[in-house]
Amino acid sequence: MDERPPLLTLPEELLLLCVDPRTERLKLPPYVHHALAGAVLAELELRGAITISDNRIATVQPLTLGEPVADRLLDALVRDVQLGRPGAKQTRLLGLDTNYAGVSGPSPERPFARRVARARVNMRAVVAAEAPPRQLTQWVRLFSHNLDSHYRESMETRGLVTAHRHRVLGLVPWTTWTAAPGSSALAHPRPSGSRGLHLDMIAATVGLRPAARTGPIAAAVSAVIESDKRRRD
């Protein structure tokens, strides 16, 4: 586990690898959203929020990483586990209040509503106990949705990239993204140790780095990408 928070998270490092050194524009390769999902999982693992065993998430710790997109995905993962959704039985969290999970806001005040909420949670827990746990490929797919857009917007807020918004033919909105001054340099030199190894393996899945030895997260990303390619053929 990393002891100090990094200057850049792995998903941010991955996106900055997409910067064209001649134009400073972000040129995203196909399937980069899957690679970003893998980078989020790797970041969560490096920071001690999850542990991975047998191609599955084995444990979850509800932490705050200080990076809004990764924190939002970790929160969703924690809720998924806390609610006892099918496929998450191996990561059931201890010590969290699940009496009224699934009900937004404060716990219901009326006794009947409290009993209904408790029954809903118990039913979901029963279903989760019978369902097979999710594999890493499933988490990659769940995390991938619009992830590149979320990260570009988050990195714009952090001052790492700049959005250039205009309209094509005066009608169709179009946005191009460039690295903010100095932000490309933040991605170099390559991170050291396990962080750099994770970045190399995940970047290789979308051709941003030479092929490297593959760990379980990168292998899951590659499997999802290959599955998508077969669907398109």
Side-chain angles (χ1 to χ4, degrees):
M1 181 180 73
D2 288 1
E3 295 182 358
R4 293 185 300 172
L7 186 61
L8 296 173
T9 63
L10 282 176
E12 292 169 339
E13 294 265 15
L14 185 69
L15 274 182
L16 289 178
L17 287 178
C18 300
V19 173
D20 186 327
R22 296 173 300 173
T23 64
E24 291 296 301
R25 283 190 177 186
L26 265 67
K27 298 180 65 176
L28 302 185
Y31 308 107
V32 72
H33 55 301
H34 292 323
L36 283 169
V40 170
L41 288 170
E43 185 69 35
L44 295 179
E45 183 184 33
L46 287 167
R47 303 281 282 275
I50 64 174
T51 60
I52 293 173
S53 177
D54 296 328
N55 293 315
R56 294 179 174 88
I57 295 177
T59 61
V60 180
Q61 295 290 334
L63 307 176
T64 298
L65 305 185
E67 192 270 272
V69 181
D71 278 340
R72 186 165 65 248
L73 292 174
L74 177 59
D75 185 58
L77 194 156
V78 169
R79 288 199 311 273
D80 189 271
V81 172
Q82 188 177 14
L83 293 177
R85 287 185 179 175
K89 69 172 184 177
Q90 84 285 12
T91 54
R92 296 288 297 172
L93 298 178
L94 300 177
L96 290 179
D97 178 17
T98 57
N99 289 339
Y100 311 107
V103 179
S104 301
S107 300
E109 294 182 0
R110 296 183 178 181
F112 178 74
R114 293 163 71 93
R115 289 197 297 272
V116 170
R118 188 188 301 272
R120 288 173 59 193
V121 171
N122 289 339
M123 289 175 62
R124 298 186 78 162
V126 169
V127 174
E130 299 299 325
R134 284 194 178 115
Q135 296 185 342
L136 286 178
T137 51
Q138 293 172 289
W139 288 114
V140 168
R141 284 204 180 278
L142 286 171
F143 280 6
S144 292
H145 185 64
N146 288 334
L147 199 53
D148 50 339
S149 297
H150 294 324
Y151 262 107
R152 279 177 288 183
E153 292 168 1
S154 173
M155 291 172 70
E156 181 186 20
T157 301
R158 287 194 61 192
L160 295 171
V161 298
T162 302
H164 307 275
R165 297 178 174 88
H166 52 278
R167 291 183 178 273
V168 178
L169 301 177
L171 297 173
V172 181
W174 188 259
T175 304
T176 57
W177 300 82
T178 59
S183 63
S184 292
L186 293 177
H188 304 284
R190 168 187 174 277
S192 60
S194 58
R195 180 168 291 274
L197 182 59
H198 272 295
L199 180 61
D200 286 347
M201 291 189 295
I202 294 169
T205 64
V206 287
L208 293 172
R209 285 277 169 89
R213 67 186 182 92
T214 300
I217 295 175
V221 172
S222 295
V224 172
I225 291 174
E226 289 303 314
S227 175
D228 282 3
K229 288 179 178 178
R230 287 194 296 271
R231 288 179 183 179
R232 291 191 173 189
D233 292 344

